[in-house]
Amino acid sequence: MLNLEQMRKDFPILNRKVHGKQLVYFDNGATSQKPRQVINELVDYYENYNSNIHRSVHLLGEEATEKYEIARSKIASFIGTSVPESIVFVRGTTEGINLVASSWGSMNISAGDEILLTPMEHHSNLVPWQLLAERTGAQLKFFNLTEDGQLDLSNMDSLISPNTKLVALTIMSNVLGTINPVKKIIDAAHSVGSIVVLDGAQSVPHMPTDVVDLDCDFLAFSGHKMLGPTGIGVLYGKKEILDEMNPYMFGGEMVRQVSLEKSTWNDLPYKFEAGTPNIADVIGLGAAVDYLLKIGLKNIHDHEISLTSYALTKLEEFSDRMKVFGPRDTNLRGGNISFHCRDIHPHDLGTFLDQEGIAIRAGHHCAMPLMHCLEVPATGRASFYLYNTHDEIDFFITILGKALNYFEK
Amino acid sequence: MEEDKLDNLYQEIILDHYRRPRNPNIVLNPQIHAEGFNPFCGDRIIITANFDKDGVVNEVGMEGEGCAISQASASMMGEILKGKTLESISILTETFRGMMRGNNLSEKDIELFGELMALEGVREFPVRIKCALLAWSALDEGINNYKK
């Protein structure tokens, strides 16, 4: 059990008033709020040991380097690996996936190869593969979706063939909340020699992740969705795969020997971290991981499942006027709830709720192909995190009811 | 709740145009054909129009989907286009943009705008201004293409 009252005090922004109302923040799928512990860590770095890392001979540089590398180790163990070199710092999930598409993809994908994706991918796990396919002559293939927004695995054996070289999918849909059976898919992909790239942007912040148990080849996720700062994300890759890959950007730090004519590359993970990295935010992300571990990912997940189940039940009250997407069974999903109201466009609903201090997301959620599958132009989405409460859901439901009546009148 | 502010945004006349858009069709062989699309929210609008021999709009069609503001703005715009020349439409568009930017309209413009004045309330919601402008920006593009 979480001590919600105590924990909420760690998040200064939760005291904020919006249009004179208490903020109810249900837009965690877009970005999470930050606890004081993370904010303080950033301040501490800038006030006390701000300096560049790895090449400094002075004390500040030594301290910054140590904190930076400790954060890398923490993040490694947070996702279940004891190999810190397999953690590459990037700007976010998007850059992580682009790194794989650009480096691994260019070296390993050629005409006739198949890349298997799902219709529920965020654009960031779709567009880089479209471009890779275009560049190389590879073919994109897609799983189907079931009626309630799960992956249809009935034709998996034909979708995954000896031509399949790469499977990329999200662990949890940012729209449907669906948690995909990634382990099963990874096993099937590996049996034909394909690698698997996981988008963990929506899952890593909300439930335990174990890359060794999953046996995924790559996993990308974003710091800002897991209590950390913006502008920092992680690409995990199996060390033996990363070792074989060419760097993605070139410059300082990623080289070993440089002459006027040619250069050789630094060791992992530095060959992928050209230039001065985002030192402060890496250290901030380390603090976020500490915070999440202190609360416990299992506790967080259980709390969110309780909120999600409660919200889904409450939303049934409006079932004649709105459609809720994604699986109903909370064993199959997380706390992203998307819905479409018969009489209200999501933007109008978003504006209405905002006047009451409730922040939801309205739009296509960077998943236009999925909107097409769901046959809606856009949806509203409420997404929960550890600090949300059942009372907030009650308030949301009350205001949602008001909105439905308002636009129906 | 700030009911007043919301009621000012969603005035009855706006909700009425949203629920019952005027000229909901596509004009055959249109001289002006414009499409507006907002990739952030999926709002879209197709505007078609024709002129008579004196260069005055005599046929207008609007088709689209999206939020109340974008669709009501399009519907109201369609109504006001009828009977206008290209030149006066350009001035109208500029005046509407000005209103969204916060300009106060002259008595004459207020009279000309009529129902369109209901969209003034959108100014209080900066993120929604682009919804109100969607049809107008598309129209602009359609007119520019026509002139080419």
Side-chain angles (χ1 to χ4, degrees):
Chain A
M1 280 292 283
L2 305 182
N3 184 343
L4 269 174
E5 204 182 321
Q6 192 59 39
M7 182 180 53
R8 284 177 64 91
K9 287 184 188 148
D10 292 332
F11 293 82
I13 206 168
L14 297 180
N15 285 323
R16 210 199 130 151
K17 297 277 189 288
V18 170
H19 304 300
K21 302 293 167 72
Q22 182 62 47
L23 169 68
V24 173
Y25 188 76
F26 282 174
D27 195 16
N28 294 287
T31 196
S32 70
Q33 299 303 344
K34 324 300 176 200
R36 213 181 291 277
Q37 288 83 339
V38 169
I39 300 166
N40 289 348
E41 194 74 33
L42 296 174
V43 172
D44 184 41
Y45 166 73
Y46 284 123
E47 287 188 350
N48 294 312
Y49 59 99
N50 173 55
S51 65
N52 213 326
I53 54 170
H54 294 314
R55 293 175 301 274
S56 308
V57 287
H58 49 72
L59 180 66
L60 300 190
E62 218 174 273
E63 287 176 6
T65 304
E66 194 189 349
K67 288 282 244 180
Y68 182 86
E69 291 305 333
I70 286 174
R72 192 192 305 276
S73 301
K74 278 182 199 167
I75 292 158
S77 99
F78 180 71
I79 59 165
T81 172
S82 56
V83 188
E85 307 92 279
S86 62
I87 300 296
V88 176
F89 288 121
V90 288
R91 277 180 299 170
T93 309
T94 301
E95 191 183 358
I97 294 169
N98 273 276
L99 194 164
V100 178
S102 162
S103 171
W104 191 91
S106 300
M107 296 170 76
N108 294 282
I109 298 286
S110 49
D113 289 345
E114 291 175 4
I115 297 169
L116 179 58
L117 307 169
T118 88
M120 67 169 86
E121 297 313 310
H122 188 281
H123 295 161
S124 61
N125 198 23
L126 171 63
V127 182
W129 307 121
Q130 290 174 341
L131 269 94
L132 176 62
E134 218 169 84
R135 259 193 335 261
T136 57
Q139 205 193 341
L140 298 183
K141 295 209 146 191
F142 294 89
F143 280 100
N144 292 321
L145 291 186
T146 63
E147 194 66 18
D148 70 343
Q150 296 182 64
L151 287 185
D152 177 3
L153 298 187
S154 63
N155 60 343
M156 184 163 79
D157 289 345
S158 60
L159 278 174
I160 297 181
S161 77
N163 293 331
T164 311
K165 289 293 177 307
L166 185 147
V167 180
L169 79 161
T170 186
I171 304 179
M172 189 199 295
S173 162
N174 69 319
V175 176
L176 303 163
T178 310
I179 296 175
N180 289 317
V182 288
K183 199 166 159 57
K184 203 169 165 182
I185 295 167
I186 290 168
D187 288 346
H190 284 171
S191 73
V192 298
S194 168
I195 68 149
V196 179
V197 181
L198 294 180
D199 171 354
Q202 297 293 330
S203 66
V204 171
H206 300 278
M207 55 199 242
T209 306
D210 186 334
V211 289
V212 173
D213 177 55
L214 284 174
D215 198 26
C216 57
D217 301 284
F218 293 100
L219 168 73
F221 55 99
S222 300
H224 70 96
K225 293 188 203 285
M226 49 187 282
L227 312 183
T230 54
I232 188 66
V234 172
L235 174 69
Y236 157 83
K238 280 183 179 162
K239 188 171 177 297
E240 60 273 23
I241 299 179
L242 289 174
D243 267 331
E244 294 301 315
M245 281 162 60
N246 286 333
Y248 159 71
M249 277 200 282
F250 304 86
E253 184 64 32
M254 52 75 61
V255 283
R256 187 191 308 282
Q257 291 281 344
V258 180
S259 68
L260 284 176
E261 284 76 28
K262 63 181 302 219
S263 306
T264 55
W265 312 139
N266 200 340
D267 292 332
L268 274 184
Y270 309 111
K271 76 170 176 184
F272 292 111
E273 293 180 1
T276 294
N278 188 348
I279 305 164
D281 294 326
V282 165
I283 293 168
L285 181 56
V289 163
D290 286 340
Y291 192 90
L292 290 169
L293 289 173
K294 189 183 80 187
I295 306 288
L297 264 287
K298 175 81 170 63
N299 290 332
I300 292 170
H301 187 62
D302 289 349
H303 175 62
E304 288 173 20
I305 288 304
S306 165
L307 292 172
T308 304
S309 176
Y310 187 69
L312 288 173
T313 305
K314 288 269 177 179
L315 284 168
E316 279 168 9
E317 184 189 326
F318 308 122
S319 60
D320 56 331
R321 290 183 286 177
M322 67 186 281
K323 187 172 164 55
V324 178
F325 301 104
R328 179 66 181 81
D329 181 351
T330 48
N331 290 310
L332 302 171
R333 64 169 303 147
N336 294 332
I337 303 182
S338 279
F339 46 85
H340 189 262
C341 306
R342 197 187 57 202
D343 300 319
I344 319 180
H345 187 276
H347 261 187
D348 295 316
L349 178 63
T351 293
F352 195 98
L353 294 173
D354 178 56
Q355 290 300 303
E356 291 284 357
I358 303 170
I360 65 155
R361 194 130 192 106
H364 54 58
H365 316 290
C366 293
M368 287 193 203
L370 180 57
M371 295 296 114
H372 191 74
C373 289
L374 302 177
E375 296 175 336
V376 290
T379 71
R381 181 188 70 188
S383 49
F384 310 129
Y385 210 0
L386 68 170
Y387 36 68
N388 289 126
T389 68
H390 292 77
D391 287 348
E392 288 179 321
I393 291 173
D394 285 338
F395 183 63
F396 165 67
I397 295 290
T398 304
I399 303 303
L400 181 60
K402 270 193 183 179
L404 288 165
N405 293 335
Y406 186 93
F407 283 92
E408 238 173 25
K409 75 184 174 188
Chain B
M1 141 154 28
E2 299 196 42
E3 292 267 5
D4 295 351
K5 206 172 149 193
L6 264 186
D7 288 344
N8 198 28
L9 177 66
Y10 295 113
Q11 293 180 30
E12 197 46 52
I13 185 71
I14 289 178
L15 292 177
D16 185 59
H17 274 271
Y18 173 51
R19 292 189 189 115
R20 297 189 308 111
R22 317 300 194 261
N23 311 298
N25 55 57
I26 290 186
V27 170
L28 280 178
N29 305 316
Q31 290 165 288
I32 288 188
H33 180 275
E35 286 191 38
F37 178 57
N38 182 343
F40 295 104
C41 53
D43 288 359
R44 68 175 75 232
I45 193 88
I46 299 172
I47 304 158
T48 47
N50 272 320
F51 301 101
D52 67 12
K53 58 180 179 8
D54 300 321
V56 171
V57 173
N58 64 352
E59 264 190 305
V60 174
M62 297 285 186
E63 238 182 47
E65 57 179 2
C67 68
I69 304 303
S70 70
Q71 301 306 303
S73 181
S75 172
M76 289 173 166
M77 181 184 85
E79 283 288 271
I80 207 167
L81 291 184
K82 280 190 260 179
K84 300 274 189 309
T85 61
L86 266 188
E87 199 181 14
S88 56
I89 291 171
S90 295
I91 295 169
L92 194 71
T93 303
E94 249 341 282
T95 312
F96 186 80
R97 284 222 175 91
M99 178 168 92
M100 286 298 120
R101 278 195 300 266
N103 295 353
N104 287 323
L105 267 52
S106 67
E107 288 293 332
K108 198 168 131 257
D109 284 335
I110 291 173
E111 199 181 325
L112 173 70
F113 267 37
E115 288 185 344
L116 267 179
M117 288 308 295
L119 287 164
E120 208 179 19
V122 178
R123 301 199 303 212
E124 299 296 311
F125 297 81
V127 293
R128 304 302 301 278
I129 289 175
K130 68 176 189 300
C131 308
L133 286 174
L134 181 68
W136 297 83
S137 303
L139 177 68
D140 234 9
E141 210 181 299
I143 289 176
N144 286 338
N145 288 338
Y146 171 71
K147 283 181 180 163
K148 271 180 201 163

